[in-house]
Amino acid sequence: MTAKTLYDKLWDAHVVHQDDDGTCLLYIDCHLVHEVTSPQAFEGLRLAGRSPWRPNSNLAVPDHNIPTTHRDAPIADPVSKLQVDTLDENTREFGILKFEINDVRQGIVHIIGPEQGATVPGMTVVCGDSHTSTHGALATLAFGVGTSEVEHVLATQCLTQKKSGNMRIVVDGRLMPGVTAKDIILTIIGHIGTAGGTGYAIEYAGSAIEDLSVEGRMTVCNMTIEAGARAGMVACDDKTLDYVSGRAYAPRDEMWERACQAWQDLHSDEDTVFDREIAVDAGVIEPQVTWGTSPEMVVPVSGEIPDPSAAEPAKREGRIRALEYMDLEPGTAIQDIHLDKVFIGSCTNARIEDLRDAARVVVGHKVANNIKLAMVVPGSGLIKQQAEREGLDRIFKDAGFEWREPGCSMCLAMNADRLDPGERCASTSNRNFEGRQGRGGRTHLVSPSMAAAAAVTGHFVDIRDF
Amino acid sequence: MKKFTEFTGLVVPMNRANVDTDAIIAKQYLKSIKRTGFGPNLFDDWRYLDPGEPGQDHSKRRPNPDFVLNQERYRGAQVLLARDNFGCGSSREHAPWAFLDYGFRVLIAPSFADIFHNNCLKNGLLPVVLPSAAVDTLFAQVESTPGYRLQVDLRAQTVTTPSGEIMSFTIDPASKNRLLHGLDDIELTLQHAEEIRAYEGRRREQAPWLFVGFDA
Ligand code: SF4
């Protein structure tokens, strides 16, 4: 038998039909649905008189549009409300499970999938959302799709796909204290660029990835799309099994034993050849801060804003424009950048470990005077509850942070949480595009502990010295 | 899906790399539950000087005279010339919907982000990948020639310049066939319904936990 990669195995197990040119019909085990990318798909089904192929393979949750305060009152923005109500109606009409806004299980779609045991190893997982790659941390083949494909999965349980290339990023060595999964993935993106993974499925491997918690692996896989690849994944190991075990929708009893047996094979075989392979030394990774309007515009916290004239010609103009937008000068030390707002949240970094990391930094401090708003938005109701049990909410609130209800919030600013023009924000989210957190807003992507330290000092600091 | 066979249109150059889908169609417009009406908000943050919200009369807003789509010579453009990694970021299909609604039928770039590329193909908006050098040539020509139009022939897989220079592009045969005939993807897949059921039968034996699902 030829050696296979993890991606090969997941792919092969889901091929329903293959055309001569290699186009495959790929079976989808789990489809996650949110309010923004699904209404037109349900409408398409209705217009064609179709119904979902397997309604119980779909799980829906509102997350992008919803307010993070006053959740007992109706949504104030009528356009947002209509979209959330439309998800209600569609899921009811088509018999799909949906978590209500005030259900403790509600949260960001990519956080609640693993949390509920809805996404488990060996699955194909899709969602009309590019950060679906997050679920690959559980040795799934998970990727984002557009609305036409959402409709296609609903109607047929399949997608028409061509296989990507195999790419492996091996991160070996030990991380310095204070350096996190977020810094690993930002370092990788800085290194290979935002198109570096285009056309590939990426497997993350090596001792530093093995050492990460499953939640940390989710942070890494989450930002795979920022490296240009649709799917990122990590092999199944004991940590994966421990993580999945006992979750609401995870297999139980005899079924659990059988599943664990099957999942033993979810790793790349020895001697597999990858189409592209990259090695990263974990030991030299520093805490990272993005300075521009693309996640690849990133430097270590000890560094300074790079001079665009030193960049390769093709990148020069983009960098000059980014500095203009960010209102930054080349040569400025990262630690001299002062902030207006701090956002701890998003499907990248709003899990319980992220909140613990941030709280550990905040304890005994106050949010700095120049920070107009520092907010923590837990990734789900269950995470919020857990954090409150541990007293993390008190730590944040005592320091002057706002403690909000779960949702996407200021990661994309579709609700009321946003930056005003010109405001500068340390954010634990995944995109620093122009206007992402609000028109004219300036985003610096960092890890949760770096964001927390920035909140209490008012500017970036090296968390290793904090 | 909208058919695509051959198209000739005015070209507009967008000279920046890594144009993301947040820039193509801003978040506030994603609240719509329709597929149409996004045209006035294509590149909203770059195109207007004042901020926009859904439901507003966008014809009353202040256009940014420096933005390329607002320049008189590019009025009515239907072919966009772009740089590397076009359409990166969010999977929002509202991005190709906005291009179509504005009147675009063809996008030309040295590379596209995967999900966006796919979303274009599903909507009859043709993403044409040409080598960087060819794209450089086109940028130089369009910038120096008012009224510059390109002819794009999907069947022949060619782009023809006004002077008759022909550039070839590749596209995967399955997507090409769907576009040429305007085929409905779902209908095509449902022709394999028996195979899908047979797969489910086999898979249910091997991995029954995958079929437990979520009950509404
Ligand atoms: S948290 Fe941000 S990146 Fe994640 S799903 Fe929500 S909007 Fe998308």
Side-chain angles (χ1 to χ4, degrees):
Chain A
M1 231 172 63
T2 46
K4 284 185 178 184
T5 65
L6 171 59
Y7 174 55
D8 295 338
K9 291 178 184 179
L10 290 166
W11 180 273
D12 291 351
H14 290 89
V15 175
V16 170
H17 173 89
Q18 180 159 1
D19 282 337
D20 296 340
D21 71 347
T23 309
C24 289
L25 261 192
L26 202 67
Y27 192 82
I28 303 303
D29 296 314
C30 176
H31 177 214
L32 302 167
V33 180
H34 66 74
E35 77 276 21
V36 178
T37 54
S38 65
Q40 297 87 350
F42 283 114
E43 184 63 11
L45 281 190
R46 214 174 281 125
L47 289 173
R50 290 174 177 136
S51 46
W53 181 275
R54 191 153 76 75
N56 78 350
S57 68
N58 305 285
L59 174 61
V61 70
D63 56 0
H64 282 60
N65 245 313
I66 54 173
T68 54
T69 53
H70 302 93
R71 285 274 268 271
D72 29 10
I75 299 177
D77 174 352
V79 197
S80 291
K81 181 168 187 306
L82 176 63
Q83 198 168 56
V84 174
D85 289 347
T86 303
L87 183 68
D88 278 351
E89 282 158 29
N90 284 328
T91 50
R92 208 174 312 126
E93 174 180 343
F94 291 109
I96 290 169
L97 176 61
K98 192 203 72 166
F99 294 157
E100 300 295 330
I101 290 193
N102 287 320
D103 189 319
V104 71
R105 299 170 297 174
Q106 182 272 342
I108 304 170
V109 64
H110 308 307
I111 294 212
I112 68 156
E115 181 175 85
Q116 291 296 320
T119 50
V120 298
M123 275 185 165
T124 41
V125 180
V126 299
C127 174
D129 195 287
S130 59
H131 290 101
T132 310
S133 56
T134 312
H135 309 263
L138 296 167
T140 67
L141 173 55
F143 54 92
V145 297
T147 296
S148 296
E149 286 174 313
V150 168
E151 184 180 341
H152 196 280
V153 177
L154 282 167
T156 70
Q157 210 59 42
C158 293
L159 280 177
T160 312
Q161 292 284 307
K162 269 213 156 148
K163 202 174 169 195
S164 306
N166 274 296
M167 175 163 170
R168 177 160 63 183
I169 300 182
V170 181
V171 191
D172 270 323
R174 278 184 93 86
L175 292 175
M176 284 182 254
V179 178
T180 67
K182 182 65 161 285
D183 304 303
I184 296 181
I185 188 64
L186 284 173
T187 300
I188 290 171
I189 295 165
H191 181 61
I192 69 173
T194 47
T198 305
Y200 293 100
I202 300 180
E203 178 177 348
Y204 301 95
S207 60
I209 301 293
E210 288 161 22
D211 288 346
L212 287 178
S213 68
V214 172
E215 295 195 357
R217 295 172 188 177
M218 286 183 208
T219 301
V220 173
C221 288
N222 174 272
M223 289 191 71
T224 301
I225 187 71
E226 273 66 52
R230 285 175 84 170
M233 61 197 83
V234 175
C236 185
D237 63 8
D238 288 346
K239 282 186 186 170
T240 322
L241 301 186
D242 282 346
Y243 177 89
V244 174
S245 167
R247 293 188 181 266
Y249 292 99
R252 324 191 155 268
D253 307 325
E254 185 247 357
M255 202 97 102
W256 170 254
E257 300 301 326
R258 276 184 72 185
C260 286
Q261 200 62 39
W263 297 344
Q264 296 299 324
D265 191 42
L266 293 175
H267 56 82
S268 290
D269 294 331
E270 300 251 347
D271 311 322
T272 331
V273 185
F274 285 78
D275 302 308
R276 187 167 177 212
E277 191 136 19
I278 285 168
V280 177
D281 178 359
V284 301
I285 298 177
E286 292 183 45
Q288 304 284 305
V289 181
T290 67
W291 54 265
T293 53
S294 161
E296 69 183 22
M297 297 173 178
V298 64
V299 286
V301 63
S302 62
E304 55 185 43
I305 305 295
D307 186 347
S309 58
E312 51 181 295
K315 300 217 157 159
R316 217 166 280 161
E317 235 180 290
R319 290 182 166 224
I320 291 171
R321 196 168 357 216
L323 285 182
E324 249 168 56
Y325 181 86
M326 295 296 288
D327 191 27
L328 289 169
E329 294 293 331
T332 307
I334 295 295
Q335 303 193 41
D336 287 342
I337 298 176
H338 288 255
L339 299 148
D340 302 304
K341 287 184 175 167
V342 174
F343 172 63
I344 298 177
S346 89
C347 57
T348 315
N349 280 129
R351 284 168 284 268
I352 190 69
E353 292 174 10
D354 299 316
L355 303 192
R356 287 181 192 139
D357 269 3
R360 217 171 288 133
V361 174
V362 167
V363 70
H365 293 277
K366 290 269 183 251
V367 169
N369 284 335
N370 58 311
I371 304 291
K372 293 184 234 171
L373 170 72
M375 63 196 293
V376 184
V377 184
S380 73
L382 285 166
I383 292 168
K384 179 166 186 256
Q385 214 174 49
Q386 175 66 26
E388 288 172 357
R389 260 200 300 274
E390 298 177 17
L392 306 185
D393 61 321
R394 281 256 61 90
I395 295 176
F396 287 120
K397 285 191 272 193
D398 288 349
F401 278 82
E402 297 204 8
W403 178 248
R404 297 288 186 91
E405 301 293 334
C408 294
S409 180
M410 211 160 69
C411 171
L412 94 164
M414 256 184 102
N415 66 1
D417 311 334
R418 61 183 73 170
L419 299 181
D420 288 329
E423 282 182 339
R424 189 180 295 288
C425 179
S427 176
T428 65
S429 55
N430 44 45
R431 287 189 175 137
N432 52 354
F433 298 156
E434 283 185 24
R436 171 76 177 183
Q437 295 193 290
R439 188 179 162 121
R442 300 173 175 132
T443 302
H444 296 271
L445 304 175
V446 288
S447 71
S449 50
M450 284 284 292
V456 298
T457 56
H459 56 91
F460 287 117
V461 288
D462 189 336
I463 190 67
R464 292 169 301 172
D465 309 330
F466 187 77
Chain B
M1 166 169 81
K2 216 173 176 151
K3 262 190 200 182
F4 191 106
T5 46
E6 195 243 29
F7 187 80
T8 303
L10 185 71
V11 184
V12 59
M14 177 154 294
N15 199 359
R16 45 164 106 188
N18 300 314
V19 171
D20 59 77
T21 52
D22 274 77
I24 295 170
I25 183 77
K27 67 202 109 230
Q28 63 269 37
Y29 304 108
L30 309 187
K31 295 178 188 179
S32 164
I33 56 173
K34 303 207 185 80
R35 269 174 200 265
T36 51
F38 298 104
N41 305 112
L42 178 71
F43 295 116
D44 201 84
D45 276 4
W46 296 344
R47 192 162 145 201
Y48 300 100
L49 292 169
D50 45 355
E53 286 300 327
Q56 199 174 342
D57 181 355
H58 300 286
S59 65
K60 301 244 160 67
R61 291 172 62 196
R62 282 186 298 136
N64 173 3
D66 295 337
F67 184 58
V68 73
L69 281 187
N70 291 334
Q71 292 168 18
E72 196 49 44
R73 61 181 286 196
Y74 298 121
R75 191 141 304 195
Q78 294 182 288
V79 177
L80 185 94
L81 190 60
R83 295 292 186 186
D84 264 312
N85 199 28
F86 191 82
C88 61
S90 155
S91 65
R92 57 189 72 169
E93 199 160 314
H94 313 66
W97 296 338
F99 276 116
L100 285 168
D101 202 59
Y102 184 95
F104 281 100
R105 290 306 310 275
V106 181
L107 310 175
I108 302 175
S111 62
F112 291 90
D114 282 340
I115 302 180
F116 177 76
H117 186 259
N118 222 12
N119 285 342
C120 289
L121 290 170
K122 303 274 181 209
N123 286 280
L125 176 68
L126 185 68
V128 173
V129 180
L130 287 178
S132 290
V135 171
D136 286 343
T137 307
L138 294 179
F139 264 100
Q141 292 182 2
V142 66
E143 278 160 8
S144 64
T145 323
Y148 187 85
R149 295 161 79 83
L150 285 172
Q151 190 218 353
V152 182
D153 184 339
L154 176 59
R155 202 167 271 123
Q157 297 181 207
T158 55
V159 174
T160 309
T161 70
S163 64
E165 193 186 342
I166 296 178
M167 299 171 172
S168 296
F169 63 89
T170 55
I171 179 170
D172 92 87
S175 302
K176 177 178 174 180
N177 188 45
R178 285 194 174 91
L179 279 169
L180 283 175
H181 300 103
L183 299 177
D184 174 356
D185 274 346
I186 295 180
E187 204 50 55
L188 288 177
T189 298
L190 287 174
Q191 290 172 8
H192 297 280
E194 277 315 305
E195 270 173 285
I196 302 172
R197 281 194 203 99
Y199 170 89
E200 285 180 324
R202 287 195 305 276
R203 191 72 174 152
R204 206 183 281 271
E205 294 285 302
Q206 297 164 349
W209 58 90
L210 294 175
F211 292 84
V212 175
F214 322 108
D215 283 318

Coordinates of all heavy atoms in Angstrom, one line a residue, chain B residues 8-44:
Chain B
T8 N -17.1 40.7 -24.6 CA -16.2 41.8 -24.9 C -16.6 42.9 -24.0 O -17.8 43.3 -24.0 CB -16.2 42.2 -26.4 OG1 -15.9 41.0 -27.1 CG2 -15.2 43.3 -26.6
G9 N -15.7 43.5 -23.3 CA -16.0 44.6 -22.4 C -14.9 45.6 -22.1 O -13.7 45.3 -22.3
L10 N -15.3 46.8 -21.6 CA -14.4 47.8 -21.2 C -13.6 47.3 -20.0 O -14.2 46.7 -19.1 CB -15.2 49.1 -20.9 CG -14.4 50.3 -20.5 CD1 -13.6 50.9 -21.7 CD2 -15.3 51.4 -19.9
V11 N -12.3 47.6 -19.9 CA -11.5 47.1 -18.9 C -11.1 48.2 -17.9 O -10.9 49.3 -18.3 CB -10.1 46.5 -19.5 CG1 -9.3 45.9 -18.4 CG2 -10.4 45.5 -20.5
V12 N -11.1 47.8 -16.6 CA -10.7 48.8 -15.5 C -9.5 48.1 -14.8 O -9.6 47.0 -14.4 CB -11.9 49.2 -14.6 CG1 -12.5 48.0 -13.9 CG2 -11.4 50.2 -13.6
P13 N -8.4 48.9 -14.5 CA -7.3 48.3 -13.8 C -7.4 48.6 -12.3 O -7.7 49.7 -11.9 CB -6.1 49.1 -14.4 CG -6.7 50.4 -14.8 CD -8.2 50.2 -15.0
M14 N -7.2 47.5 -11.5 CA -7.1 47.7 -10.1 C -5.7 47.3 -9.6 O -5.5 46.1 -9.4 CB -8.2 46.9 -9.4 CG -8.1 47.1 -7.9 SD -9.7 46.8 -7.1 CE -10.6 48.2 -7.7
N15 N -4.9 48.3 -9.5 CA -3.5 48.0 -9.3 C -3.1 47.7 -7.9 O -2.2 48.5 -7.3 CB -2.6 49.1 -9.9 CG -1.2 48.6 -10.2 OD1 -0.9 47.5 -10.0 ND2 -0.4 49.5 -10.8
R16 N -3.6 46.7 -7.2 CA -3.1 46.3 -5.9 C -3.3 44.8 -5.7 O -4.2 44.2 -6.2 CB -3.7 47.1 -4.8 CG -5.2 47.3 -4.8 CD -5.6 47.8 -3.4 NE -5.9 49.2 -3.3 CZ -6.2 49.8 -2.1 NH1 -6.1 49.1 -1.0 NH2 -6.6 51.1 -2.1
A17 N -2.3 44.3 -4.9 CA -2.3 42.9 -4.7 C -3.2 42.6 -3.4 O -3.5 43.5 -2.7 CB -0.9 42.3 -4.4
N18 N -3.6 41.3 -3.2 CA -4.2 40.9 -2.0 C -5.5 41.7 -1.7 O -5.9 42.0 -0.6 CB -3.3 41.0 -0.7 CG -2.1 40.2 -0.9 OD1 -2.2 39.0 -1.2 ND2 -1.0 40.8 -0.6
V19 N -6.3 42.0 -2.8 CA -7.6 42.7 -2.5 C -8.5 41.6 -1.9 O -8.7 40.5 -2.4 CB -8.2 43.2 -3.8 CG1 -9.6 43.6 -3.6 CG2 -7.3 44.3 -4.4
D20 N -9.0 42.0 -0.7 CA -9.8 41.0 0.1 C -11.3 41.2 -0.1 O -11.7 42.2 -0.5 CB -9.4 41.0 1.6 CG -9.6 42.4 2.2 OD1 -10.8 42.7 2.5 OD2 -8.6 43.2 2.3
T21 N -12.0 40.1 0.3 CA -13.5 40.2 0.1 C -14.2 41.2 1.0 O -15.3 41.6 0.8 CB -14.1 38.8 0.2 OG1 -13.7 38.2 1.4 CG2 -13.7 37.9 -1.0
D22 N -13.5 41.5 2.1 CA -14.0 42.6 3.0 C -14.0 43.9 2.3 O -15.0 44.7 2.4 CB -13.2 42.8 4.3 CG -13.6 41.8 5.4 OD1 -13.2 40.6 5.3 OD2 -14.2 42.3 6.4
A23 N -13.0 44.1 1.4 CA -12.9 45.4 0.7 C -13.9 45.3 -0.5 O -14.5 46.4 -0.8 CB -11.5 45.6 0.1
I24 N -14.1 44.2 -1.1 CA -15.0 44.0 -2.2 C -16.5 44.3 -1.8 O -17.2 45.1 -2.4 CB -14.9 42.7 -2.9 CG1 -13.5 42.5 -3.5 CG2 -15.9 42.5 -4.0 CD1 -13.1 41.1 -3.9
I25 N -16.9 43.7 -0.7 CA -18.2 44.0 -0.2 C -18.2 44.1 1.3 O -17.9 43.1 2.0 CB -19.3 43.0 -0.8 CG1 -20.7 43.4 -0.3 CG2 -19.0 41.6 -0.4 CD1 -21.3 44.5 -1.0
A26 N -18.4 45.2 1.8 CA -18.2 45.5 3.3 C -19.3 44.8 4.1 O -20.4 44.6 3.6 CB -18.2 47.0 3.6
K27 N -18.9 44.4 5.3 CA -19.7 43.6 6.2 C -21.2 44.1 6.4 O -22.1 43.3 6.4 CB -19.1 43.6 7.6 CG -19.1 45.0 8.2 CD -18.1 45.2 9.3 CE -17.0 46.1 8.8 NZ -15.7 45.7 8.9
Q28 N -21.4 45.4 6.4 CA -22.8 45.9 6.8 C -23.8 45.4 5.7 O -25.0 45.3 6.0 CB -22.9 47.4 7.0 CG -22.5 48.3 5.9 CD -21.0 48.6 5.8 OE1 -20.2 47.8 6.2 NE2 -20.7 49.9 5.5
Y29 N -23.3 45.2 4.5 CA -24.2 44.8 3.4 C -24.5 43.3 3.4 O -25.3 42.8 2.7 CB -23.6 45.3 2.0 CG -23.4 46.7 2.1 CD1 -22.1 47.3 2.1 CD2 -24.5 47.6 2.1 CE1 -21.9 48.7 2.2 CE2 -24.3 49.0 2.2 CZ -23.0 49.5 2.3 OH -22.8 50.8 2.4
L30 N -23.7 42.5 4.2 CA -23.9 41.1 4.3 C -25.2 40.8 5.0 O -25.6 39.6 5.1 CB -22.7 40.4 4.9 CG -21.3 40.7 4.4 CD1 -20.4 39.7 5.1 CD2 -21.3 40.5 3.0
K31 N -25.8 41.8 5.6 CA -27.0 41.5 6.4 C -28.2 41.3 5.5 O -29.2 40.9 5.9 CB -27.3 42.7 7.3 CG -26.2 42.9 8.4 CD -26.6 44.2 9.2 CE -25.4 44.5 10.1 NZ -25.7 45.7 11.0
S32 N -28.0 41.5 4.2 CA -29.1 41.3 3.2 C -29.4 39.8 3.1 O -28.5 39.0 3.2 CB -28.7 41.8 1.9 OG -29.5 41.3 0.9
I33 N -30.6 39.5 2.9 CA -31.0 38.1 2.7 C -31.2 37.8 1.2 O -31.7 36.7 0.9 CB -32.2 37.6 3.6 CG1 -33.4 38.5 3.3 CG2 -31.8 37.7 5.1 CD1 -34.6 38.0 4.0
K34 N -30.8 38.7 0.4 CA -31.0 38.5 -1.1 C -29.6 38.3 -1.8 O -28.6 38.5 -1.2 CB -31.6 39.8 -1.7 CG -33.0 40.1 -1.0 CD -33.8 40.9 -2.1 CE -35.1 41.4 -1.5 NZ -34.9 42.7 -0.7
R35 N -29.7 37.9 -3.1 CA -28.5 37.7 -3.9 C -28.2 38.9 -4.7 O -27.2 39.0 -5.4 CB -28.7 36.6 -4.9 CG -28.3 35.2 -4.4 CD -28.8 34.2 -5.4 NE -28.8 32.9 -4.8 CZ -27.8 32.0 -4.8 NH1 -26.7 32.3 -5.5 NH2 -28.0 30.9 -4.2
T36 N -29.1 39.9 -4.8 CA -29.0 41.0 -5.7 C -29.0 42.3 -4.9 O -29.2 42.3 -3.7 CB -30.2 41.0 -6.7 OG1 -31.4 41.0 -5.9 CG2 -30.1 39.9 -7.7
G37 N -28.6 43.4 -5.6 CA -28.7 44.7 -5.0 C -27.3 45.1 -4.4 O -27.3 46.2 -3.8
F38 N -26.3 44.3 -4.6 CA -25.0 44.7 -4.0 C -24.1 45.6 -4.8 O -23.1 46.1 -4.4 CB -24.2 43.4 -3.7 CG -24.9 42.5 -2.7 CD1 -25.5 41.3 -3.1 CD2 -24.9 42.8 -1.3 CE1 -26.1 40.5 -2.2 CE2 -25.5 41.9 -0.4 CZ -26.1 40.8 -0.9
G39 N -24.5 45.8 -6.1 CA -23.7 46.6 -7.1 C -23.3 48.0 -6.6 O -22.1 48.3 -6.6
P40 N -24.3 48.7 -6.0 CA -23.9 50.1 -5.6 C -22.9 50.1 -4.4 O -22.3 51.1 -4.1 CB -25.3 50.7 -5.1 CG -26.3 49.8 -5.8 CD -25.7 48.5 -5.9
N41 N -22.7 48.9 -3.8 CA -21.8 48.9 -2.6 C -20.5 48.1 -2.9 O -19.7 47.8 -2.0 CB -22.5 48.3 -1.4 CG -23.8 49.1 -1.2 OD1 -24.9 48.6 -1.4 ND2 -23.6 50.4 -0.8
L42 N -20.3 47.7 -4.2 CA -19.0 47.1 -4.5 C -17.9 48.1 -4.2 O -17.9 49.3 -4.6 CB -19.0 46.8 -6.0 CG -17.8 46.2 -6.7 CD1 -17.6 44.8 -6.2 CD2 -17.8 46.3 -8.2
F43 N -16.9 47.6 -3.4 CA -15.8 48.5 -3.0 C -16.2 49.7 -2.2 O -15.7 50.8 -2.4 CB -14.9 48.9 -4.2 CG -14.2 47.8 -4.9 CD1 -14.5 47.4 -6.2 CD2 -13.2 47.0 -4.2 CE1 -13.8 46.4 -6.8 CE2 -12.6 45.9 -4.8 CZ -12.9 45.6 -6.1
D44 N -17.2 49.6 -1.4 CA -17.9 50.7 -0.8 C -16.9 51.7 -0.1 O -17.0 52.9 -0.2 CB -18.9 50.2 0.2 CG -20.0 51.2 0.6 OD1 -20.9 51.4 -0.2 OD2 -19.8 51.9 1.6

